[in-house]
Amino acid sequence: MNFHDRKVIPPKYIYLFMTVICIIMLLLSIVFESRFSFLKSITGTIVTPMQTGVNAAGSSLYLGVKNSKEKKALMKQNKELEAKLAEYKAKEKTYEQEKYELKRLQELLELKEQYVEYNTIGARVIATDSTNWFYTFIIDKGEEDGIKVGCNVLADGGLAGIVTEVGNGYSKVRSIIDDNSNVSASISGTDSLCTISGDISAMKKGYIHINYIDKADVIEEGAEIVTSHVSNKFLPGILIGYVSDVEMDSNNLTQSAKCIPVVDFSNLSEVLVITDLKKTYRTNSKSKNIYDSVTSPDTQVPEETSEEYETTTEADDDNDTEATTQEEQAGDSSEETREDAVVPDDQNEREEQH
């Protein structure tokens, strides 16, 4: 007989046959319960362990499937929570940054109100030098915003520097801690004048230098240092820092000290630029401080910059020239007088010889 020609009984008939057998066995066990007691005990002995094992396997499988579903649900929920947590952290950082920026802007506004007598404009620092100190930096305001070379720059409640270069949309600022910076200053509450000299090396220790203090002046520790009215470049009355460690110089003619700047030059974000120039500021003083300079001696100052910076100097030079001319004329007159006084003596000698 060919294997392929053999008839295959459909599974449904087999299931039906087994069902009928089970029903018959069930009915017989009920009707003839006493006669099939030994069969029940045998069946119980064999089936019960199998049933226990099947139940245990089923329970384990069910728990495994259930745990797997719960694990997947928990993992999905965990990912969603992690995403929300990351979003909240990003928002928190944004809020902190905005809060910090708001605080800085409020401080800038307070600074603007402190120097309300000057025209000012706020600016953001967009670039700096390669070091950790802002001894030169660039701001995002330029010529079109009314900024000119020589404009004073403020930050943190005091003087930060002066504009040395202006372009379209930017300006370059040299801070007072730069090695080539010298600022004419006065010590608040006194008539004492001095010069604030920048020094990057000293600034790493937290101070810059105060020079040319008169030896007769009594300077208190912690006294305020402000820009002097005799400065050619810096407007008067702007806070620079505080006095520390006053000592007599080796020449016994002047004193020196340390200046603790009020501005944090390791972290500048926003600054306030005074658009008024010193040349437009009117003062009754005809004095000027020869040490007032923020440019290197080797630096070539543009003509426009020189005109802006030297307006006061030219006026003083004119006064000096007039005084010198008067002295020369007076000297010439006295010489002529002396010559006139000598002539008669010569004549008398000649007369005696004759």
Side-chain angles (χ1 to χ4, degrees), residues 48-62:
T48 299
M50 294 179 60
Q51 187 177 7
T52 303
V54 170
N55 288 338
S59 299
S60 177
L61 182 62
Y62 172 75

Side-chain angles (χ1 to χ4, degrees), residues 131-253:
T131 67
N132 295 328
W133 296 98
F134 287 70
Y135 65 88
T136 58
F137 55 91
I138 297 174
I139 57 177
D140 62 351
K141 294 293 190 296
E143 187 176 0
E144 66 278 10
D145 300 297
I147 296 179
K148 311 175 190 66
V149 171
C151 285
N152 296 180
V153 180
L154 312 178
D156 296 336
L159 182 65
I162 191 168
V163 175
T164 57
E165 181 181 336
V166 178
N168 293 325
Y170 80 95
S171 297
K172 187 175 181 180
V173 180
R174 177 170 295 178
S175 70
I176 62 172
I177 66 171
D178 185 77
D179 290 336
N180 296 320
S181 173
N182 290 287
V183 182
S184 297
S186 61
I187 299 173
S188 182
T190 70
D191 295 330
S192 179
L193 297 177
C194 59
T195 299
I196 307 299
S197 302
D199 188 336
I200 296 297
S201 300
M203 191 60 212
K204 295 177 181 178
K205 300 177 182 178
Y207 67 90
I208 51 180
H209 301 292
I210 308 175
N211 300 316
Y212 307 112
I213 305 174
D214 193 295
K215 70 174 183 178
D217 294 334
V218 178
I219 310 300
E220 295 183 0
E221 191 82 8
E224 290 186 351
I225 306 171
V226 297
T227 52
S228 171
H229 64 281
V230 301
S231 172
N232 291 333
K233 303 169 187 176
F234 295 94
L235 293 163
I238 302 175
L239 180 62
I240 300 174
Y242 303 95
V243 175
S244 176
D245 300 335
V246 182
E247 60 181 17
M248 184 68 67
D249 291 335
S250 58
N251 58 17
N252 292 325
L253 297 176

